[in-house]
């Protein structure tokens, strides 16, 4: 399965070399361009691993790692020439999963990336997590996490969110959502769906995610890509 990797490195030569090498192993790699809004790039790409330099324009890598950790448990690996013990310890304290010192061999970096991806995803732990725009839906726990806040969902709300996040970027019709809810032990009609969506939106609004679910008039609902 192809994994999405975001490279946050302001040296274009290093960034492109890393992207080309990791991409040759079948990963989808994006190089960050707007260093004043790394979280905007993170949310737009929804990566499954972040390679993050410490020394960056505007804000350093520690800042962005801390911001990522507010909304996501995605693996973060620091790449930096500042490889003394203090920086490595600080990176780990900020929530990083690994650290590789510059200059590094691209084959070694790729091996570390693959190992980190295996640890994070191949044991099924992430299979039950769906992500969109900083929100993480835990299918096993029946909860949605946004900005560090956990939102408890009913069975119907969970199924609505699951349907929308699985088809992120596409409109999900009301009929399709009712079919999802029909799998529960209660009869679902148009009014029941409207009530469930309204209640779910209220919970999202209270958590600061009012714009997560959008209505497409006459078509259904969508979580934008």
């Amino acid at each position: 399965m192809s994994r999405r990797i975001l490279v946050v490195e302001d040296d274009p030569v290093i960034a492109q070399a890393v992207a080309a090498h990791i991409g040759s192993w079948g990963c989808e790699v994006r190089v960050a361009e707007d260093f004043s809004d790394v979280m905007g790039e993170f949310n737009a790409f929804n990566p499954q691993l972040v390679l993050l330099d410490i020394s960056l324009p505007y804000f350093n890598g520690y800042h962005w790692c801390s911001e990522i950790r507010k909304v996501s448990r995605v693996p973060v690996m620091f790449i930096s020439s500042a490889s003394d013990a203090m920086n490595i310890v600080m990176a780990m304290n900020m929530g990083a999963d690994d650290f590789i010192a510059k200059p590094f061999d691209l084959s070694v970096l790729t091996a570390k990336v693959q190992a980190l991806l295996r640890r994070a995803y191949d044991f099924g732990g992430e299979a039950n997590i769906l992500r969109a725009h900083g929100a993480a839906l835990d299918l096993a726990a029946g909860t949605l996490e946004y900005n560090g806040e956990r939102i408890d969902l009913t069975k119907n709300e969970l199924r609505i969110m699951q349907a929308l996040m699985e088809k992120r970027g596409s409109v999900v019709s009301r009929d399709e959502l009712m079919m999802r809810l029909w799998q529960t032990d209660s009869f679902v009609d148009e009014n029941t769906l409207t009530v469930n969506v309204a209640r779910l939106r209220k919970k999202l609004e209270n958590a600061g995610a009012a714009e997560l679910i959008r209505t497409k008039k006459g078509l259904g609902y969508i979580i934008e890509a």
Side-chain angles (χ1 to χ4, degrees), residues 68-85:
I68 288 169
R69 280 292 166 263
K70 289 178 182 177
V71 300
S72 175
R73 295 191 297 271
V74 66
V76 174
M77 182 189 297
F78 274 103
I79 48 176
S80 178
S81 54
S83 57
D84 55 276

Side-chain angles (χ1 to χ4, degrees), residues 55-71:
S55 300
L56 294 167
Y58 302 102
F59 302 97
N60 65 27
Y62 297 136
H63 168 81
W64 293 120
C65 185
S66 176
E67 291 299 297
I68 288 169
R69 280 292 166 263
K70 289 178 182 177
V71 300

Side-chain angles (χ1 to χ4, degrees), residues 130 137 139 158-166 180:
L130 297 175
L137 182 68
L139 300 177
L158 176 65
R159 292 192 176 194
I160 292 169
M161 280 303 303
Q162 181 179 354
L164 292 171
M165 291 178 87
E166 284 177 347
R180 285 284 189 124

Side-chain angles (χ1 to χ4, degrees), residues 23-165:
S24 70
W25 287 88
C27 292
E28 181 184 352
V29 186
R30 178 178 295 184
V31 175
E33 296 178 355
D34 185 357
F35 295 103
S36 68
D37 186 23
V38 170
M39 287 309 296
E41 302 229 3
F42 177 88
N43 289 327
F45 189 46
N46 195 30
Q48 291 160 299
L49 186 144
V50 179
L51 290 174
L52 185 60
D53 192 9
I54 292 177
S55 300
L56 294 167
Y58 302 102
F59 302 97
N60 65 27
Y62 297 136
H63 168 81
W64 293 120
C65 185
S66 176
E67 291 299 297
I68 288 169
R69 280 292 166 263
K70 289 178 182 177
V71 300
S72 175
R73 295 191 297 271
V74 66
V76 174
M77 182 189 297
F78 274 103
I79 48 176
S80 178
S81 54
S83 57
D84 55 276
M86 187 181 76
N87 274 293
I88 294 174
V89 169
M90 189 164 176
M92 296 307 172
N93 287 340
M94 284 290 176
D97 298 274
D98 206 343
F99 192 108
I100 186 166
K102 296 178 185 175
F104 47 75
D105 183 283
L106 285 170
S107 297
V108 173
L109 173 67
T110 303
K112 287 175 77 80
V113 165
Q114 290 173 332
L116 188 50
L117 286 169
R118 280 196 302 271
R119 290 202 302 272
Y121 300 106
D122 285 359
F123 297 105
E126 189 71 12
N128 289 323
I129 307 290
L130 297 175
R131 301 183 188 279
H133 302 292
L137 182 68
D138 189 327
L139 300 177
T143 60
L144 184 73
E145 192 172 294
Y146 185 80
N147 274 348
E149 181 177 340
R150 197 182 80 165
I151 307 166
D152 291 315
L153 303 176
T154 66
K155 187 193 298 184
N156 282 354
E157 291 163 356
L158 176 65
R159 292 192 176 194
I160 292 169
M161 280 303 303
Q162 181 179 354
L164 292 171
M165 291 178 87

